[in-house]
Amino acid sequence: AAGVIQSPRHLIKEKRETATLKCYPIPRHDTVYWYQQGPGQDPQFLISFYEKMQSDKGSIPDRFSAQQFSDYHSELNMSSLELGDSALYFCASSLKGGNTIYFGEGSWLTVV
Amino acid sequence: EDQVTQSPEALRLQEGESSSLNCSYTVSGLRGLFWYRQDPGKGPEFLFTLYSAGEEKEKERLKATLTKKESFLHITAPKPEDSATYLCAVQADSSYKLIFGSGTRLLVRP
């Protein structure tokens, strides 16, 4: 079965640079969620989209922005990167109602 | 404030030694309680969603139960391949986002 696809899987950026993460949800899923997981921590909710509109917002820094496109894929844009942004970023998807939420394998971001 | 607490933080079992993981929650109104398994460096793998007190769901050696204040993940006769971090999360009826607990790291020794 098709799963949530994230790219890139790994990226290394320098401080103050910009990074973009991409997420392709499971086919027919219309809701996308972004989470950040630091080393040894539980996933923290950043933002979600339903039908290309932002549906919920969590602890997402102002330096980060995200959007969902007409084909339902989503991109998380991170600017002015800081060392503390180094983490595993997960995308998840579901149908509206969120009864079953599936996660991708994550994108490892290392800021040096 | 919606909150999820999992215990124990870590659990070591011998192969075949059954046990339970606990997830206590406070939420304004529960839409659903989710259990995930996470291997190191991997994305959380969906296991169960429970919706109302008294509900139970099973998958292989795992059984999840739900009360009004907590959920249990029972592991029967675990195998080494069950070693992972098990995450509990709640979804409030005011939102679709998941609020995670800190997880229980399970190690099953052969």
Side-chain angles (χ1 to χ4, degrees):
Chain A
V4 178
I5 306 297
Q6 292 188 243
S7 67
R9 291 298 313 280
H10 302 268
L11 72 164
I12 300 174
K13 292 286 185 178
E14 295 188 354
K15 285 193 302 183
R16 293 181 290 278
E17 282 193 319
T18 297
T20 297
L21 307 181
K22 296 185 178 182
C23 169
Y24 297 86
I26 291 171
R28 293 185 298 280
H29 280 192
D30 50 22
T31 305
V32 169
Y33 314 79
W34 286 97
Y35 287 82
Q36 177 192 59
Q37 187 174 31
Q41 299 180 357
D42 52 284
Q44 294 294 314
F45 173 74
L46 294 177
I47 195 167
S48 63
F49 293 87
Y50 165 65
E51 285 289 347
K52 293 150 283 186
M53 299 288 290
Q54 180 182 309
S55 55
D56 209 342
K57 193 171 182 180
S59 51
I60 184 169
D62 292 340
R63 300 176 289 108
F64 293 10
S65 65
Q67 58 182 323
Q68 186 180 30
F69 295 86
S70 57
D71 63 351
Y72 296 105
H73 94 273
S74 179
E75 295 184 4
L76 177 66
N77 299 294
M78 300 175 285
S79 62
S80 302
L81 288 169
E82 302 173 355
L83 295 178
D85 295 329
S86 296
L88 190 52
Y89 289 82
F90 290 111
C91 174
S93 76
S94 72
L95 292 169
K96 184 181 186 302
N99 291 342
T100 306
I101 300 175
Y102 295 96
F103 282 75
E105 288 299 305
S107 292
W108 279 101
L109 170 65
T110 301
V111 181
V112 298
Chain B
E1 183 182 348
D2 301 333
Q3 194 168 359
V4 178
T5 303
Q6 291 187 247
S7 62
E9 290 186 8
L11 181 62
R12 292 183 178 184
L13 299 173
Q14 287 296 130
E15 184 172 2
E17 180 186 1
S18 301
S19 188
S20 296
L21 282 55
N22 177 264
C23 171
S24 298
Y25 65 91
T26 54
V27 64
S28 51
L30 182 68
R31 184 191 299 275
L33 185 140
F34 294 67
W35 281 99
Y36 288 88
R37 167 193 171 128
Q38 186 175 29
D39 293 299
K42 301 283 188 179
E45 175 189 343
F46 174 79
L47 295 174
F48 307 107
T49 307
L50 302 169
Y51 299 101
S52 57
E55 188 175 2
E56 299 182 352
K57 289 191 176 177
E58 290 188 63
K59 179 181 180 180
E60 297 180 354
R61 295 178 292 281
L62 301 176
K63 179 181 177 180
T65 62
L66 180 66
T67 72
K68 289 186 177 180
K69 294 183 178 180
E70 58 191 350
S71 176
F72 291 93
L73 184 65
H74 307 278
I75 303 177
T76 301
K79 298 181 178 181
E81 53 261 42
D82 294 323
S83 298
T85 295
Y86 290 85
L87 295 167
C88 171
V90 296
Q91 190 182 54
D93 57 12
S94 58
S95 170
Y96 293 109
K97 69 182 181 186
L98 295 177
I99 301 166
F100 282 89
S102 297
T104 293
R105 296 188 309 278
L106 174 66
L107 175 64
V108 181
R109 294 175 167 173

